Amino acid sequence: MKRVLSGIQPTAESFHLGNYLGAVKQWVELQSEHDAFYCVVDLHALTVETDPAVLRRRTLASVAQLIALGVDPQKCTLFIQSHVPEHNQLAWVLECLTGFGEAGRMTQFKDKSQKSGSDRTVVGLFTYPILQAADIMLYQANLVPVGEDQRQHIELTRDLGERFNSRFGATLTIPEAYILKSAAKINDLQDPLAKMSKSAASNSGVIDILDNPDINAKKIKSAVTDTGKEVVFDEKNKPGISNLLTIHSALSGKTIADIENSFAHKGYGEFKSEVADVVATYFTPIRKKAEELLADSQGLQKILAEGADKARAVASATLASAYDAIGLVPPRKR
Ligand code: TRP
């Protein structure tokens, strides 16, 4: 079985529809036929200044949402990154193999640091992709399911893995990016040419899956569409309607053609109402499940402890071989 690893940042109170359809849904599909490791990357989230109570809440809420959405701790290894200190330990080794210029060429770093200026950019943002490389290679992952925006970070991971292996002998598995299907690309409801994203200027185009269905219904009903009348999929001329069709189809399981047919003589208003219903029907039980999990903090802690144990068993073995390969003297066993 191929090993899969992916991570998601706990940077919002709720995942949004784009996170779910673009990533988490595919994590769920991958877990049955792969040896999957999924982590909530709380250490990466430290690159953005966050109130401690908020970070704690978001981290647990992320775990609860992943489980509610179908990530099954019985089928995969689900854990919190900071529970496995080997991530930082391997990251340091990889940092010592990364060129300063090489890290500086990462486009996400360039974009983010340009926005905030160098004095307000933390060093952690610079080393972020190297920690990500450690996340992946600690588990000897073969496949890394990520969005297109992460491709460069996976390339860096591969370069670092190859560099390590050629200097110190075959130790780390070189992973491949498993770029998530573009069919599941969900765009902002207010700006249907831009990806749905938690960093959008306004939250009014973002469907948060833990939000009250009424709020989401309002957002869907005020989604930006063109002035035409037909509910047809046409990304170029009707990006708003096409986005809503994609959402409907992904959640209802109906084909786009079937949905188009059923609205052949109806207007946008009716169509939007149905999309709102589809979204509410889909996420109401998930929201309930996430709330139940969060209410049972002992149960959640237990799941996390088991996940961390499973993760550490693999991570510590990789770290030990990497340390040994580079010439660090192992401590004597007592
Ligand atoms: N950088 C990734 C993102 O923003 C999150 C991430 C951290 C990740 N570590 C990872 C993704 C390891 C895949 C594998 O989406």
Side-chain angles (χ1 to χ4, degrees):
M1 259 206 302
K2 283 201 174 166
R3 184 163 290 161
V4 162
L5 178 130
S6 198
I8 192 160
Q9 288 202 58
T11 42
E13 302 301 314
S14 167
F15 293 153
H16 57 68
L17 195 56
N19 297 135
Y20 174 56
L21 293 175
V24 178
K25 189 159 182 259
Q26 301 179 62
W27 291 15
V28 173
E29 285 158 15
L30 284 166
Q31 73 189 346
S32 16
E33 278 163 37
H34 297 79
D35 181 15
F37 285 71
Y38 297 130
C39 57
V40 173
V41 290
D42 54 346
L43 297 170
H44 279 106
L46 297 178
T47 56
V48 178
E49 199 179 320
T50 313
D51 177 78
V54 172
L55 178 62
R56 213 170 281 131
R57 191 176 68 230
R58 289 178 175 177
T59 302
L60 293 172
S62 300
V63 174
Q65 286 174 87
L66 288 174
I67 299 173
L69 289 166
V71 171
D72 182 348
Q74 301 299 324
K75 292 190 188 155
C76 69
T77 302
L78 173 64
F79 63 102
I80 294 179
Q81 184 189 32
S82 66
H83 290 182
V84 184
E86 285 84 356
H87 288 247
N88 304 71
Q89 294 175 288
L90 185 63
W92 174 254
V93 171
L94 298 175
E95 278 167 35
C96 294
L97 293 177
T98 311
F100 196 81
E102 188 177 31
R105 281 192 290 278
M106 295 294 113
T107 52
Q108 280 204 341
F109 170 73
K110 285 199 287 187
D111 291 349
K112 291 187 182 171
S113 59
Q114 252 160 31
K115 271 189 207 151
S116 24
S118 78
D119 278 340
R120 300 227 273 137
T121 298
V122 295
V123 173
L125 201 61
F126 186 64
T127 56
Y128 177 116
I130 309 171
L131 179 59
Q132 181 170 353
D135 296 343
I136 297 165
M137 292 195 289
L138 254 187
Y139 299 94
Q140 311 282 11
N142 306 103
L143 296 175
V144 188
V146 283
E148 181 62 44
D149 63 334
Q150 295 297 309
R151 195 189 281 281
Q152 199 188 24
H153 290 171
I154 310 304
E155 276 308 311
L156 177 72
T157 304
R158 292 169 56 85
D159 289 346
L160 295 177
E162 277 159 7
R163 197 169 302 156
F164 186 104
N165 289 347
S166 75
R167 280 199 208 158
F168 306 113
T171 310
L172 302 172
T173 302
I174 308 302
E176 266 175 54
Y178 179 90
I179 300 293
L180 299 166
K181 293 171 225 137
S182 59
K185 249 188 217 154
I186 303 302
N187 289 335
D188 190 283
L189 300 180
Q190 289 299 319
D191 178 7
L193 295 175
K195 200 171 109 174
M196 187 175 285
S197 155
K198 60 194 163 208
S199 44
S202 145
N203 196 42
S204 57
V206 178
I207 301 286
D208 282 323
I209 66 178
L210 292 186
D211 246 349
N212 179 310
D214 295 342
I215 297 181
N216 283 333
K218 251 190 215 139
K219 288 180 178 176
I220 291 165
K221 287 177 188 161
S222 47
V224 167
T225 48
D226 57 279
T227 53
K229 285 203 181 74
E230 281 95 69
V231 177
V232 290
F233 192 89
D234 175 354
E235 275 184 307
K236 212 166 141 245
N237 300 308
K238 291 171 165 283
I241 289 294
S242 303
N243 189 37
L244 292 174
L245 278 164
T246 304
I247 293 172
H248 188 315
S249 166
L251 298 179
S252 67
K254 293 187 183 160
T255 64
I256 302 257
D258 281 346
I259 307 167
E260 285 172 344
N261 283 336
S262 66
F263 286 95
H265 302 290
K266 301 178 188 163
Y268 288 173
E270 269 180 85
F271 172 57
K272 285 176 167 179
S273 294
E274 186 167 302
V275 175
D277 285 345
V278 166
V279 169
T281 308
Y282 196 90
F283 289 111
T284 298
I286 287 166
R287 199 179 81 205
K288 275 214 189 110
K289 175 94 214 264
E291 281 164 3
E292 277 166 28
L293 286 158
L294 282 170
D296 174 17
S297 85
Q298 297 252 327
L300 204 55
Q301 296 297 339
K302 184 164 171 272
I303 292 172
L304 287 170
E306 286 167 4
D309 283 348
K310 282 202 273 174
R312 276 200 93 171
V314 179
S316 61
T318 307
L319 185 75
S321 27
Y323 270 15
D324 186 46
I326 58 182
L328 298 177
V329 175
R332 202 186 73 170
K333 289 221 170 62
R334 287 198 279 175

